[in-house]
Amino acid sequence: MKRLIPLAFTLALLGGISAGPAQAENLEQTQQLIRTKQCPGCDLMGAGLVYASLIGADLSQANLSQANLSRTDLSQANLSQANLAGAVLFSANLTGANLSGADLRGADLRGAILTGADLTGANTEGVNFLGAVGLPTEIATPESLYNWGLAEAERGNFRGAISNYNQAISSRPNYANAYLARAIARFRLGDRTGALEDTQYAQQLYQQQNNDRGYEVATRFSEGIVALEEAYADSQRGSRGGGNFLNALGSLAGLALQILQQLPF
C-alpha cells in the first residue's frame, strides 16, 4: 500500500489524471443516464445496470464495454456506434433498438429480445445469441446458427446446440451438416434412436449432394450406433461388451464433431 501513494502522485504530475476523479465521473454519468436517459458518448465501462429501465435512452457512441445490462429494458434505445464489447445483455429487451455500427464483440445476448432491432454494420464476432428472440435474418443465417450450435456442443451444452441446429434446419431443410451435428448432440444426450434417424438422413443428403467426405463420416457414425444397439442387446443377455462399444462410439462422436468443423457449408 505504501508504494501506491507515490505512484499515483507521479501519474497525477505526468498526466494530470488521478484515480479518484475518474471513478466519480463515471458514477456521475451512470446517475445521469438513470435520471435523464440521455448519455451519448458517456464512459460507462463496467457499469452495473441490471434490471434498469432505459426505454428510449440515448446511448449513442457510449462506452458500455464489460457493462452488466442483464434483463435491462433497452427497447427503442439508441445504441448506434456504442462499444458493447464483452457486455452482458442476458435476457435484455432490445426491441426496436438502434444497434447500427455497435461493437458487440464477445457480448452475451443469451435470451435477449431483438425484435425489430437494427444491427446494420454491427460487429457481432463471438456474440452468444443462444435463445435470443427476433434475430434479423442477416444475423441468424443457417451457417451462423450451425456454428453457434457447434460452439455450444464444445461447451457441453448439447440441448442448446440442438436448439441452434433445429433453427438452421428450419431455414435450410437440406442442411446435411446440421442433421449430422444434431445426431451427435442427441447421442451425447442418450437419444440413440433420434441420433440414428438424423445420421441416416444426413447420409442421404450427403449422397444427393455428392459430398463423399460427409457421407463417409455419417456412415461410420451410423454403423457405430447400430453396433452399440447390438452390444446393448448383448449386455441385456449377460454379455460384458457393451461398455467397450460405448467408449468406442463416444470417441467416434468426438471425431465426427471435429470433422464437422472442417466440412464446407
Side-chain angles (χ1 to χ4, degrees):
M1 293 297 293
K2 291 181 180 179
R3 296 180 62 185
L4 293 178
I5 296 175
L7 177 59
F9 180 71
T10 302
L11 290 173
L13 287 176
L14 293 175
I17 300 174
S18 64
Q23 292 176 349
E25 183 179 358
N26 188 284
L27 178 59
E28 181 180 345
Q29 291 182 348
T30 301
Q31 293 173 340
Q32 173 189 330
L33 172 62
I34 297 297
R35 186 177 63 255
T36 68
K37 297 183 182 178
Q38 300 296 310
C39 212
C42 286
D43 182 7
L44 299 166
M45 179 178 180
L49 294 162
V50 179
Y51 283 105
S53 177
L54 298 173
I55 302 171
D58 185 357
L59 284 159
S60 55
Q61 299 184 333
N63 180 11
L64 288 155
S65 60
Q66 306 298 323
N68 190 348
L69 295 152
S70 295
R71 303 186 187 279
T72 297
D73 192 344
L74 287 157
S75 53
Q76 307 302 322
N78 183 2
L79 290 154
S80 59
Q81 303 296 325
N83 181 0
L84 288 155
V88 179
L89 290 141
F90 175 78
S91 292
N93 185 356
L94 291 157
T95 302
N98 182 359
L99 288 156
S100 60
D103 185 354
L104 289 161
R105 288 174 300 168
D108 181 359
L109 276 88
R110 290 173 299 158
I113 302 173
L114 290 156
T115 305
D118 182 1
L119 286 154
T120 305
N123 189 336
T124 58
E125 180 183 352
V127 175
N128 189 343
F129 283 115
L130 179 64
V133 178
L135 276 171
T137 54
E138 65 268 21
I139 298 296
T141 63
E143 292 83 1
S144 296
L145 290 162
Y146 171 72
N147 282 324
W148 297 337
L150 291 181
E152 292 304 317
E154 287 181 352
R155 286 193 280 266
N157 181 12
F158 298 112
R159 296 190 188 281
I162 289 173
S163 175
N164 281 296
Y165 299 145
N166 287 344
Q167 293 179 71
I169 290 169
S170 178
S171 298
R172 185 188 295 174
N174 64 344
Y175 202 167
N177 285 6
Y179 279 102
L180 183 53
R182 190 173 71 177
I184 294 168
R186 283 180 166 174
F187 168 75
R188 292 298 196 187
L189 290 173
D191 180 10
R192 294 196 295 273
T193 300
L196 184 58
E197 290 176 355
D198 274 350
T199 304
Q200 291 176 337
Y201 192 60
Q203 279 181 275
Q204 296 177 28
L205 290 174
Y206 283 131
Q207 191 170 40
Q208 292 169 10
Q209 296 162 11
N210 297 316
N211 188 330
D212 294 336
R213 189 177 185 189
Y215 180 78
E216 179 186 355
V217 173
T219 299
R220 290 175 59 197
F221 192 55
S222 175
E223 291 173 349
I225 296 175
V226 172
L228 177 63
E229 290 300 303
E230 293 174 353
Y232 178 76
D234 289 342
S235 70
Q236 294 298 98
R237 293 191 292 268
S239 172
R240 298 182 180 179
N244 293 332
F245 277 99
L246 181 60
N247 293 334
L249 190 54
S251 300
L252 179 59
L255 175 62
L257 185 58
Q258 293 175 17
I259 295 176
L260 272 173
Q261 296 171 326
Q262 302 172 12
L263 289 174
F265 293 123

